[in-house]
Amino acid sequence: MDMRGVMLFLHLIGLALWFGVTFSLAILGVRANKTGDRNVIAFIYRAGHRLLRGPGLIGMLLTTISGFGLAGLGGYGVFRLTPHWQFQMQVLGLIAFALAVAVQIPNSGRLARAAEASANAGEASASFVKFRKTNAIVASINGALILIVTLLGAIRPM
């Protein structure tokens, strides 16, 4: 296996981790909120924060670093306008990475703490509602960006 194969393998493993954590947390969050049990909700958001900080962050780093490695090994270079699909993948992927690291992961920690405080108080606090809305918006944008980048990689011309 050559270096390109190793980078592609790491890229796909990283994408699976990132994709898996992001979408499973969305499903679990919706399911937990439907139960109405504040302890279940607090548990899911606490677990979600740990998953984002652990395997999710590892997936984000693997995907981003190996993606730049693939761009360099492919002979196209980094952030060159041609081929356009690769440029779009790099820009959108980097935006998704920055959004996840700068907003999604820190917000998930605040959301977990607010959910736990709400569970202890027996009612949803204003901060919990605010952090949950922020989480839903940022996770949706990030999920859409990941899907678009994956689609660009899948339908690229050979």
Side-chain angles (χ1 to χ4, degrees), residues 78-142:
V78 178
F79 292 116
R80 297 182 111 183
L81 293 177
T82 56
H84 63 75
W85 58 267
Q86 184 177 1
F87 177 73
Q88 292 166 347
M89 285 179 76
Q90 290 172 351
V91 170
L92 295 176
L94 201 54
I95 290 170
F97 175 77
L99 189 62
V101 171
V103 180
Q104 188 176 13
I105 294 173
N107 187 71
S108 72
R110 291 188 291 269
L111 176 60
R113 288 187 294 279
E116 206 162 317
S118 291
N120 292 336
E123 63 183 6
S125 65
S127 61
F128 172 71
V129 173
K130 176 185 153 198
F131 293 138
R132 190 171 69 180
K133 284 181 183 177
T134 303
N135 183 63
I137 292 168
V138 172
S140 296
I141 291 170
N142 227 359

Side-chain angles (χ1 to χ4, degrees), residues 17 38-39 41 66 112 116 123-124 127 148-149:
L17 282 170
R38 298 201 188 285
N39 290 320
I41 294 168
S66 62
E116 206 162 317
E123 63 183 6
S127 61
I148 292 168
V149 169

